[in-house]
Amino acid sequence: MAIECLVLGAGQEVGKSCAVVTINGKRIMFDCGMHMGYLDHRRYPDFSRVAPDGDFGGALDCIVITHFHLDHVGALPYFTEVCGYRGPIYMTYPTKALAPLMLEDYRKVMVERRGEEEQFTSEHIADCMKKVIAVDLKQTVQVDSELQIRAYYAGHVLGAAMFYAKVGDSALVYTGDYNMTPDRHLGAAQIDRLHLDLLITESTYATTVRDSKYTREREFLIAVHKCVAGGGKVLIPTFALGRAQELCMLLDDYWERMNLNVPIYFSAGLTIQANMYYKMLINWTSQKVKETYVTHNPFDFKNVRNFDRSLINTPGPCVLFATPGMISGGFSLEVFKNWAPSENNLVTLPGYCVAGTIGHKLMSGKPTKIDLDKDTQIDVRCQIHQLSFSPHTDAKGIMDLVKFLSPKHVILVHGEKPKMASLKGKIESELGIPCYDPANNENVSVPSTHFVKACASDAFVRSSLSPNFKFSRRNREYECSHSGDTETVPFLQVRDERVAGGIVVMEGNKEAKIIHQDELLHVLRTERHEVKFAYCFPARLSKKNEESGNICTDSLRCPSRKCSLLQALLSELSKEFRQEEIQDFGEYIKVESLHVAVCLTEQCPYRVGGHPLDGCGSVFLCCRWLAGDEQLAWKMISIIRTLDLSLPI
Amino acid sequence: MEPPAASSGEPSLGPLPSLPGTPLTRHNLASLRSLVINPSTPISLIASVFEALSRHLEHGRDPLLLPHALKLLSELASHRPGLPRAVFDCVRSRLFSSESARAAAESLDALALVAERDESLSSSLGGQFDSFFVSLCFDRSVSVRRWLLRNAERFGVGPHVLITVFLGFTKDPYPCVREAALDGLVNLSKSSVFEDRGLVEGCYNRAVELLGDVEDCVRCAAVRTVSDWGHILVASMQGTEKREQSDAIFIQLCSMVRDMSMEVRVEAFVALGKTQTVSLKNLLQSLSKKVLGSMKEKRSVCQLTGPIELSASSVAGALVHGFEDEYYEVRRSVCDSMRRLCMISSEFSGEAINLLMDMLNDDSVIVRLKALETMRHMATCDHLSLEVMHMHMFLGTLVDKNELVRAAVRKVLRFVKLRDLELFKLSVNGLIENLETYPQDEVDIFSVLFHVGQRHGNFVACFIHEVFHEMEPSSDGKLSFDCARVAALLVLSISAPIFAEQNIGEIPPRVFSYAVTLLGRISHAVGDVTSQNALFAYFSQGSSCMEDNISEYGEQILANMGKDGAASLASNEINDLDQFPLGEASFEHTKTYARKFWQPTEEPKLTAEQLQIHDDLTESLNGIFTKVKAIWHLVKAGFTNEVLKILRVCEEELETLETKCMGSPALAFTLQYIRALKLLASVWSYFHPTFGQCCRVVGQLDILLVKLERTLRDMKCRFTGLSKEDELYLMELTSVSLTLNLSILMTGCSYIVNLKRLAAVLSQVECLQQELGVEPSSFLSELKKSMPDIHSAAGSMFSLPHFLGKMLDAFSLKQFELSRTLLSLFAEITVPDNDSENPIHFIHGLPVGIRLEITLRNISRENRLWLEMTMGKESKQFIFLDLKLFGGSNELRKVTYFATYYKTPKAVSFSLRVCIGVACLPDDIHAGMNNGGPKRELTYLSPEREVYFSAESQKLT
């Protein structure tokens, strides 16, 4: 059977994450996001592909949401309430708590500000959330008798999770967005070593390799410290959740350590509420926060106070966190208007600003004047500091995760096409894992694992109880560019023979069974057969020796002569085959199952060529070997044929 | 039938005929144990116990009882000399007939236990159980297998057998067994040497395979194994091969730093910190997440251990990832491993410092401290090059809230070489800011400024030139030396010229006269370099600006401190003693520690008359000393009783003298000495070969030793004014007593404590000897030589008594020369209006105040006095007596002191014993009083006074 992955969104683009995976007959939808860049039908995934007849309940077994960002959850109320999906929806507790806030906020903006027709109502959101089943980290949820899912910590935002899904013997992980480096308030993604058939990973920064986060932190702190030391005011426009808490923690720590007493303010509203969520969901934050929690709640910022509008024009330095992040309006714009004209002040900008916002204008070259509308013009003299914090993992993080999980296949989503292609090449060449980067509405099919159940015989179980290991010298070939050819060097290896001692037997339609190798003959009710090869050929002896002594088979009847011939052979062979163990048994020499002896039978049935070759004595060597060592035997024989076994007399 | 109970009651009873032959029960075994550990159980009874136990081993059918019986047997062997061999043979014969693997393992354990206590047995162990051990390992019980692997080294199995077993079991399907096998390999690599290259490679390669194991614990162990066996492999290689192999190990370890398990990551960084050699390009790559150009070029070298895929990408940014880690444990271990890596290359250090600087912004204090410690190491090996861009972060730490962090930054500054004037200015200003914010750091800041000034003489001159006007009197003629900044600048300006002659002209001479006003503070801060007098002389010379003399004084001070800075380095260490626990306190450290405490104390000044008065007495005392000295060979010959008699006579003689000249300290001292000798002689008799160990009760020896030590401590603490030679001798006596203490069989922590104390005493002795320039006595030199042996013998005590006995033979008595008049510390307590008839009224549960009249003689400020109040046997309360409360001089202080006793009992009446003690010098590393009392043992200075309390009011008023 195969695993089918239908990418409905975020295929070679960033936005509306949605992937429907069919695994051993079960269908799971991972994420149900909307695209913020479109206002038409392209904003939602094309759900009709999931179930052309509209019976989503029958077509899908469950929906899994990784985190509360709108490009991962935005289409959910539409899908459940408008399209009519009725099945179970899984998300983590924080996501369940925060997603409705985000959805409601979005709905308000859409309907109230832009005057658009609403896609879903507040009631829709509330009803949709009622269907949600919240899960905890590493909690294995049995969706039905076959399908089980499990959430792993993903960093990124509060409550973000990677999901592991398993049906029968096939398993996959869908990462959602994740971060492999911890920040001040969230930890790094954390997952177990799992046996996976498929990994579906985001690839937002498929080619970027970010350097130490400390550089960014340091630059930010130095900028802020310099500004307040010079008596200036710092405006930090942020989104309510995530960045605000991280920066605030950073500043609060720094303040604490440096004994600074310049006030830090939080503008009222969402931020306070957001802090409350963080305080409740301490378990989802970073290790450091959890450790600090023993003594005090790190989200009870020591140096942070609430801001009052009247403080805007109070003289003296201060730091202010205000929403929204891109200075697109609201409180941050109001403060910006007041503070921008002074060159003592500082405004920090988030890493990404939508075109058209003041943030975007400030980012693209430093303007001296900004036209707010026809009547107002802001004189911008303040300093600008651009933040480059990102909660997404970089290319190295993706590679590290793929390497750690070592799945059989990788699918990249949530990224830009050319960059994804580059990462895809890297995964295939460096890790040797087949990788795909499907576009939207494309279907990828990868083979799934299916284990066959086999019972074990008593003898095999018994033999497996006690350890049984074996040492061997194996050859490992490696390339050596000094000489340009391959050379083999033996190295010591240890094997456990217990597994090798078992043999899988499948009889007709019966179940497979593993038996011990000694039982095989008994089970098959046959006797042991061995195929042996034999080959008898004349040995090459140089003329010199022929002249000096009349060598014939007769003279070889003397055991010492025979031995010396074999010994000569042995020493020659050991030079040629250094890694093989060649044993001397007097009468014959033995390599694996190959016996080489001097043939004393006149009428040897295996003899090739009745007469000695020209220039050779009439000495024949008889070789016998088992079928398994055929290659080795012929290699040896061809070497022996070239050897000159001059006999020392 | 209860034979054990009956027999323990009457030890004189003969062996009970019924004891052997009865099947043992758990209860029986418990009673047998009490017989075994009781030292007065007669030999015959022990023999029958042994017989019963061995019979049980042979015929006992209850597998549950077996471990108890074996335990008892091993105890029997450890308590009774002569039995180990018999026990060993008995268990051994049982061993080979064990029916289950668990039973066999338990027997093996017992054998190992017995053998560990007996030298002859342990040496005969070698190879005896090899095949048995191996066959037991192949048994199907997993827990036994794991236990055997974990304990393999105890059974004397040959290393070549062990390595095969370990290597094989790295294939075991059970992760715990794989882990044990890998750990076994790691231990083996430390204890044995393997020549076979193929074998070493096999182990290394197997460990590399297991780096990809599914279980965290196995991966952890695999990282350790890769590191250790990799280094063995590297050691056996030469040239290019060696370089490539070191790189290969580095790459393997780096590939583990992105593991999902925190333990594995920590282990990986610990292993990286052991790197010995690695190519620079790999090192530099570990600092950058982006693959560097030098790594991109196609690897054109032979990979010894097979193709290592992704070598560049696994190394890339390995250390950066460590620094960014979520867990402080990981970040801490990265900082640690950086220390080693930075020593490898200065170019790497140059890059690494950028990352390390960022760790100063870490939220964990531990990490910040570790980062600073690493920087200090870099500075000492001159690999620390600070840039202006670092300074904000670096100097920002100077105002850190945590004082340890601040001290650590200053320590870095002390050693760092600043490249230009700008850095110098920034650093000095940083230090001044530190001083202004945290005035409590003054001593250290002055000292650091002084050191920085010394290292950067010409910068000082330039800098002082710029800021000189700040030190000058302001327009209204006021000098502002109390301002922190000016004080700091003064320290800086006087620091440089001392050591750099070319600067002499450049520092205005007025500075020196200004500096005189701060003489006390400065000399306190730089006390490690020079003394106050020298400093003062230097200031006065400096202010009169006589160049020749200045350089002369400069040299003098230079000579004092040792130009190479070794001394100053050592003394710097002293200031930060409290941070030592991070590392293991080495002998060197103990030495400097001792040196600090051994600064010359002021000698008591004596008038001529006093000297005269005591002359006669001194003479007669010296006579006694000579007499006593001669007795030592008698002690050695075993005439203990005769010696004791002689000493008793001496004691009586002294007592008669005492009636003549009351309260003479010298007399009291001599008396104490005689008592100490008496104790020493009695103790010695226990170690005498003919009177052997077994004939006396060990418990008494313990008591004697404790008494001896207390007497010696008394002599040391209660008397001041001993000559250095005498002090040295006292310490020798102390070390004899400690050595004797080591010789009686002691295990565990008390043994270790004793060992530490011995080491501390020895280091003090060494300092004194250096100071006096005398050769150590034969005993001391013997002892010093065998210290490492004693240390290594700590685990296995079997050979110790014999071994120490030889050393003690080298000891002989010397003579005290009481050439000066001694002073003895003395305290007296009186409780006015209190006796059993007039008790103090108290209400139980509430504290009660006690009015004490305290008289102290010859007690100086350095002595730390404690008031001890004892009720009953155990309950003690301590109060620290602050001498500031006392008026008067060192000779005599008197005060009325109100002590409060808190733990008033629920009783109608009770009595307290009060006395005053002085805390002893630091050779007693912690007496372990934890109830708010003194950290060191007390020597009592006053006789005990009893104070009476009653709950009933005496009179109705």
Side-chain angles (χ1 to χ4, degrees), chain A residues 181-182 184 188 190 209-210 212-214 218 221 257-259 287 396 400 430 476 480-481 494 498, chain B residues 171 173 258 260 289-290 300 302 305 310 316 321 323-324 326 358 360-361 368 392 396 401 438:
Chain A
T181 37
R184 289 268 162 173
Q190 219 274 331
V209 175
R210 250 180 262 124
S212 165
K213 63 171 179 176
Y214 292 111
R218 181 181 57 207
L221 288 176
R257 248 176 324 114
M258 294 296 169
N259 251 336
Q287 191 60 29
K396 183 143 194 326
D400 286 335
E430 284 192 12
R476 178 187 284 177
C480 188
S481 54
V494 55
R498 275 182 277 192
Chain B
K171 269 284 183 189
R258 287 297 267 164
M260 288 282 175
K289 286 191 193 172
K290 297 190 178 80
S300 59
C302 232
T305 48
L310 320 162
H321 284 306
F323 281 124
E324 285 183 336
E326 188 177 346
D358 286 327
L360 299 182
N361 195 19
R368 297 208 292 273
H392 175 84
K401 226 175 183 177
Y438 300 98

Side-chain angles (χ1 to χ4, degrees), chain B residues 426-443:
Chain B
L426 283 171
S427 312
V428 170
N429 284 330
L431 282 168
I432 291 174
E433 194 188 343
N434 179 191
L435 182 60
E436 282 165 347
T437 329
Y438 300 98
Q440 66 266 40
D441 293 349
E442 187 189 271
V443 175

